[in-house]
């Protein structure tokens, strides 16, 4: 999608479709209070063109509500689309991101290729922040998961122009808009990987895609396989890979900005299970096809690395993705087996379906060995996190409050929803083993937490954040601003957290 930023008066823009935001300005909360939709633009011509629709009461400016006006009088645009932001008092830049996505997804199936989007004029929402969010939202909205459909028509929006009011601080708005393009494209890079079926995206192919991306944006990369895993004594990672015909891939990317020789080295570690059957503790057939997205944490790390390479923060970043299939075969590991992880810790395998924590155990240890001073991992780790938090918040954990506070602050920019869950000695008790140092499951209750406790053993005393994105990495339904399918969750938050160093 081509993007452009314009400072032209809205009424004079010739386009197929002009989208303008509206908010409900009603502050009275009484039972008889009617919605009072108002446009978030000072442009008199646009206001006049929309006046009748706003007065009709048909459009309430609810969040992502839309109404289309054909041949709007007084405008050069052929159509005027109003997109709601909800209550004005509660409107945020995150609403603008969604509204841009909604505008794109409204436009897309109607064969309209060019969209002009008026950035809202509102005291509460800064113009640069809304320019960035609009670009992100537009890219996110333009993505659909229908890659392999023969009847797929290329109906993507091909041109997106954001319009800022004249008098805006041009340089700041331009820089923010350019950032939004990078972030939106990086999130879609992740989504495209997550969408790939397991037969296409094997661990080897995952490594190739990571390498191609790294080449494209100028990151250093290495992709290793079984031999290197043996050399590093990655017994936990290898135990998952041993049941598959497909060799594992240990993907390592490095961002080393010129002139930054010391200071923190941020380690991103991703779970890259390209298909999770459960192994010998095999999963039921229902919904097993979904387990192609069990590499979403690894893909999120690659998307974040892409954005980091292009946005060039002044901090060194290392990325380790542990890619493998989890399959049952004659060589697969069995419940009761004991494995020795790279760190030397021994693990009793209770359930071969708790494989994510095994590959991450060695991924975390390797990132530490390579010098990481701060760690973050992302993984579709447990069904239990979805039981705890629904498909509303992803789960987050940390062994260090100061590190987590920085992550928490990043959420204000990313707009993503993570809820911090507790860790603690009583949970750690649940993964003690009779035969080995720890076991790989802690029972049904608090499953997301005991999984995090397992990872904490390998993060040791390095400041570390764990993101369990199992509930949010895949949308089961279409939403006005984002398609059904892979979401690319965590890319934006990880990026902002890295930039905070
Ligand atoms: N990949 C799954 C977790 C998952 C579940 C991701 C649903 C996305 C949607 C993970 O490897 C797994 O199987 N976890 C087990 C752990 C259990 C055996 C302790 C689970 O959640 O059931
Ligand atoms: Mn599993
Ligand atoms: Zn898994």
């Amino acid at each position: 999608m081509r993007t452009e930023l314009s400072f032209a008066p809205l009424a004079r823009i010739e386009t197929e479709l002009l989208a303008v935001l509206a908010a409900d300005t009603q502050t009275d909360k009484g039972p008889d209070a009617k919605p009072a939709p108002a446009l978030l633009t000072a442009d008199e011509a646009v206001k006049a063109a929309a006046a009748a629709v706003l007065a009709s009461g048909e459009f309430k400016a609810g969040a992502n509500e839309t109404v289309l006006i054909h041949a709007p009088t007084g405008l050069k645009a052929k159509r005027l689309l109003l997109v709601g932001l909800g209550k004005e008092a509660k409107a945020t830049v995150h609403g603008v991101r969604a509204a841009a996505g909604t505008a794109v997804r409204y436009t897309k199936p109607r064969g309209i290729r060019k969209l002009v989007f008026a950035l809202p004029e509102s005291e509460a929402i800064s113009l640069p922040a809304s320019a960035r969010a609009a670009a992100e939202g537009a890219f996110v909205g333009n993505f659909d998961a229908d890659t392999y459909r023969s009847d797929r028509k290329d109906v993507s929006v091909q041109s997106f122009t954001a319009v800022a009011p004249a008098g805006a601080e041009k340089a700041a708005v331009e820089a923010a808009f350019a950032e939004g393009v990078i972030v939106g494209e990086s999130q879609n890079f992740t989504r495209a990987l997550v969408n790939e079926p397991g037969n296409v995206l094997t661990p080897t192919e995952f490594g190739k895609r990571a390498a191609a991306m790294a080449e494209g944006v100028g990151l250093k990369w290495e992709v290793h396989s079984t031999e290197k895993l043996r050399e590093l004594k990655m017994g936990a990672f290898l135990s998952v890979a041993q049941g598959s015909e497909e060799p594992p891939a240990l993907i390592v990317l490095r961002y080393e900005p010129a002139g930054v020789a010391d200071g923190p080295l941020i380690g991103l570690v991703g779970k890259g299970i390209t298909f999770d059957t459960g192994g010998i503790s095999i999963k039921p057939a229902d919904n097993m096809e979904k387990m192609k997205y069990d590499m979403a944490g690894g893909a999120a790390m690659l998307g974040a690395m892409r954005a980091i390479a292009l946005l060039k923060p002044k901090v060194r970043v290392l990325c380790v993705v542990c890619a493998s299939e989890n399959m049952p075969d004659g060589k697969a590991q069995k419940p009761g087996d004991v494995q020795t992880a790279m760190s030397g810790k021994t693990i009793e395998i209770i359930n071969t379906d708790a494989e994510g924590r095994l590959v991450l155990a060695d991924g975390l240890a390797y990132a530490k060995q390579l010098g990481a001073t701060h760690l973050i991992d992302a993984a579709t780790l447990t069904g239990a996190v979805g039981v705890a938090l629904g498909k509303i918040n992803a789960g987050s954990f940390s062994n260090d409050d100061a590190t987590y506070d920085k992550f928490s602050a990043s959420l204000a920019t990313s707009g993503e929803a993570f809820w911090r869950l507790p860790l603690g000695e009583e949970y750690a008790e649940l993964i003690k083993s009779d035969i080995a140092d720890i076991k790989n499951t802690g029972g049904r209750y608090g499953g997301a937490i005991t999984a995090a406790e397992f990872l904490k053993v390998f993060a040791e005393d390095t400041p570390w954040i764990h993101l369990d994105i199992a509930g949010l990495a895949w949308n089961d339904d279409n939403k006005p601003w984002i398609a059904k399918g892979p979401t690319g969750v965590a890319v934006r938050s990880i990026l902002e957290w890295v930039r905070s160093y």
Side-chain angles (χ1 to χ4, degrees):
M1 183 169 66
R2 287 191 314 275
T3 54
E4 202 186 317
L5 187 61
S6 160
F7 296 84
L10 294 177
R12 280 198 236 136
I13 299 177
E14 278 184 46
T15 178
E16 291 292 318
L17 190 147
L18 168 65
V20 176
L21 302 187
D24 181 3
T25 59
Q26 179 60 264
T27 50
D28 186 350
K29 292 190 180 92
D32 300 325
K34 288 206 185 79
L39 297 190
L40 298 180
T41 175
D43 190 299
E44 291 302 334
V46 174
K47 281 189 187 166
V53 172
L54 293 187
S56 74
E58 288 163 32
F59 173 76
K60 301 177 175 61
N64 300 297
E65 185 186 347
T66 50
V67 66
L68 184 70
I69 303 163
H70 275 271
T73 32
L75 306 188
K76 290 237 163 105
K78 288 192 188 148
R79 302 169 188 82
L80 175 62
L81 177 72
L82 307 187
V83 184
L85 264 192
K87 287 274 186 215
E88 187 179 39
K90 289 190 188 159
T92 66
V93 68
H94 308 308
V96 177
R97 184 187 295 106
T102 298
V104 167
R105 293 197 67 70
Y106 185 95
T107 307
K108 214 182 158 184
R110 289 172 170 81
I112 303 166
R113 303 303 180 89
K114 254 190 86 118
L115 166 64
V116 175
F117 182 86
L119 297 171
E121 290 182 70
S122 141
E123 279 183 17
I125 304 171
S126 96
L127 209 47
S130 107
R132 175 183 158 167
E136 290 170 5
F139 278 96
V140 167
N142 213 13
F143 178 100
D144 273 287
D146 57 357
T147 324
Y148 294 98
R149 282 182 67 147
S150 310
D151 65 352
R152 186 184 203 215
K153 302 193 177 61
D154 185 17
V155 290
S156 296
V157 172
Q158 282 162 8
S159 156
F160 178 81
T161 303
V163 187
E169 262 192 76
K170 254 190 170 177
V173 179
E174 265 160 10
F177 187 67
E179 246 180 48
V181 171
I182 290 170
V183 176
E185 286 181 327
S186 297
Q187 188 173 338
N188 283 352
F189 170 79
T190 293
R191 294 165 82 198
L193 283 173
V194 174
N195 197 41
E196 289 290 19
N199 63 327
V200 173
L201 199 87
T202 58
T204 306
E205 178 64 20
F206 200 8
K208 285 186 184 160
R209 304 260 181 124
M213 180 278 285
E215 285 290 333
V217 299
L219 290 168
K220 288 190 188 157
W221 64 270
E222 294 157 44
V223 180
H224 303 288
S225 192
T226 314
E227 219 170 287
K228 177 81 172 180
L229 268 57
R230 290 216 180 96
E231 192 185 301
L232 291 167
K233 299 196 163 59
M234 290 183 155
F237 187 175
L238 276 165
S239 79
V240 176
Q242 76 188 43
S244 171
E245 289 289 328
E246 290 290 341
L250 172 64
I251 303 166
V252 184
L253 307 185
R254 283 186 174 87
Y255 168 71
E256 290 167 349
V260 186
D262 47 19
L265 172 55
I266 312 291
L268 317 185
V269 181
K271 169 176 174 181
I273 301 297
T274 61
F275 196 81
D276 181 11
T277 67
I280 295 300
S281 314
I282 199 160
K283 288 181 180 294
D286 265 5
N287 291 318
M288 202 205 272
E289 76 285 355
K290 288 274 188 62
M291 281 302 111
K292 70 172 190 175
Y293 81 79
D294 212 17
M295 34 59 73
M301 291 314 184
L302 296 182
M305 285 304 282
R306 181 187 181 278
I308 288 164
L310 296 170
L311 293 174
K312 307 193 189 324
K314 288 190 172 56
V315 61
R316 297 173 301 151
V317 190
L318 165 75
C319 172
V320 176
V321 176
C322 300
S324 174
E325 287 187 334
N326 185 24
M327 298 287 282
D329 88 349
K331 293 203 192 80
Q333 72 174 331
K334 305 166 289 296
D337 287 1
V338 174
Q339 310 292 357
T340 305
M342 181 182 171
S343 76
K345 286 262 175 349
T346 54
I347 304 164
E348 181 187 8
I349 306 299
I350 301 296
N351 189 319
T352 65
D353 197 10
E355 84 297 340
R357 63 199 77 182
L358 297 173
V359 304
L360 289 173
D362 287 343
L364 290 165
Y366 191 44
K368 276 164 65 94
Q369 190 186 88
L370 294 176
T373 58
H374 297 72
L375 292 166
I376 191 165
D377 75 70
T380 47
L381 202 64
T382 67
V385 79
V387 176
L389 297 172
K391 285 170 125 339
I392 309 294
N393 279 283
S396 50
F397 301 82
S398 182
N399 61 356
D400 185 72
D401 289 344
T403 303
Y404 191 80
D405 287 348
K406 283 170 87 70
F407 181 76
S408 192
S410 309
L411 301 177
T413 303
S414 74
E416 294 183 320
F418 284 87
W419 193 266
R420 189 176 179 183
L421 294 168
L423 293 166
E425 193 45 48
E426 286 156 305
Y427 293 110
E429 283 293 323
L430 300 172
I431 54 166
K432 293 224 162 112
S433 162
D434 293 332
I435 189 175
D437 294 331
I438 49 172
K439 53 187 181 183
N440 80 331
T441 64
R444 230 163 73 78
Y445 294 102
I449 302 175
T450 48
E453 283 290 349
F454 184 96
L455 298 180
K456 185 169 162 244
V457 170
F458 298 91
E460 300 181 310
D461 48 15
T462 304
W464 153 83
I465 295 169
H466 160 54
L467 306 178
D468 192 340
I469 59 171
L472 265 69
W474 194 269
N475 267 342
D476 291 328
D477 303 299
N478 281 308
K479 305 226 167 92
W481 62 94
I482 188 170
K484 184 173 173 174
T487 62
V489 68
V491 171
R492 297 203 305 263
S493 301
I494 293 161
L495 167 68
E496 287 314 312
W497 177 71
V498 167
R499 292 174 93 198
S500 77
Y501 281 89

